[in-house]
Amino acid sequence: CKMIWVLLLLLLLPLLLFIAAPQIRKMLSNGVCTSTAQLPGKVAVVTGANTGIGKETAKELAQRGARVYIACRDVQKGELVAKEIQTMTGNQQVFVRKLDLADTKSIRAFAEGFLADEKHLHILINNAGVMMCPYSKTADGFEMHMGINHLGHFLLTHLLLEKLKESAPSRVVNLSSLAHVLGRIHFHNLQGEKFYSAGLAYCHSKLANILFTKELARRLEGSGVSVYSVHPGTVHSELVRHSFFMRCMWRLFSFFIKTPQQGAQTSLHCALEGLEILSGNHFSDCRVTWVSAQARNMTIARRLWDVSCDLLGIPMD
Ligand SMILES: *[C@@H]1O[C@H](CO)[C@@H](O)[C@H](O)[C@H]1NC(C)=O
Ligand SMILES: *[C@@H]1O[C@H](CO)[C@@H](O)[C@H](O)[C@H]1NC(C)=O
């Protein structure tokens, strides 16, 4: 008789989980952007905004009246999303520009076009990213994760920095991840040539994002440009497209995984709330959060900054 109860419980448990899933998801995704800021006259660029968190972020910024640039590799896909956002928000000022972060030529072309078209830039969201792709290189010979997640956005931010300063108060939001905890900056193996793990390469690049946020914040002190890095949470997005294992895990635990809209909340919080005194910090669930010792090490941050400038042919100061 006891067995029957145990069996019944075992059968009921998944059912209960299924029914309670929305509540569980809500609980796990506490941290909602509560800003009521409106953005008429403000200009925002969101990289990788054709899907997932980036798309939700772009939509919300458009909803609040900003001129929004969707910067992505696949312009056709971007145009569809722009149309969708225009229809949903009634804001026609949503534009698509080609940006391939795996190619510094494309990054420079994007920046040139943008700087020619726009007088201001108030919000830059470095959102695009790749995760766990097999070993491959960008057009410039950088390892793909480092190249896109870190160096590509580094160059982009550098090229747009004067515009951000002129438009101050303005801000940069970098998407990083809790995965940075496993990351290390191996200066002798930055491009993964000596050893490579697809999973760890992602972590390294996400650590680089945080280090850069800290170093840039230091350099921009008093400029009116504030910078934040963000852990969006475990979010259902196309990031996992390169890994069959991760796709399966995502499916299995989909109850506990945030929707892209929930994942966009911390980016929006950092883009909209008055957090200037917290510039350089790392945020998760709309709160300042802990980062690993590596990510707090300003010696590594400075060295990585210099190495990155060197790799990208940016004059060092
Ligand atoms: C992140 O932010 C820093 C400062 O905001 C910037 O220099 C860097 O290029 C951005 N991107 C990455 C990927 O770190
Ligand atoms: C920072 O990293 C360097 C190089 O790995 C190390 O020698 C140094 O002790 C670290 N500093 C701190 C404060 O952890």
Side-chain angles (χ1 to χ4, degrees), residues 126 149-150 153-155 157 172 174 208-209 212-213 216 227 305:
N126 288 323
N149 298 357
H150 166 58
H153 281 119
F154 179 74
L155 179 61
T157 309
V172 181
N174 275 328
N209 290 158
F212 261 93
T213 303
L216 188 72
V227 296
W305 184 282

Side-chain angles (χ1 to χ4, degrees), residues 3 32 40 45 55 71 114 156 159 161 170 190 206 243 255:
M3 277 302 283
V32 170
V45 170
K55 176 178 165 185
F114 178 83
L156 179 67
L159 295 172
L161 202 52
S170 54
L190 216 50
K206 292 289 123 180
S243 163
F255 286 158

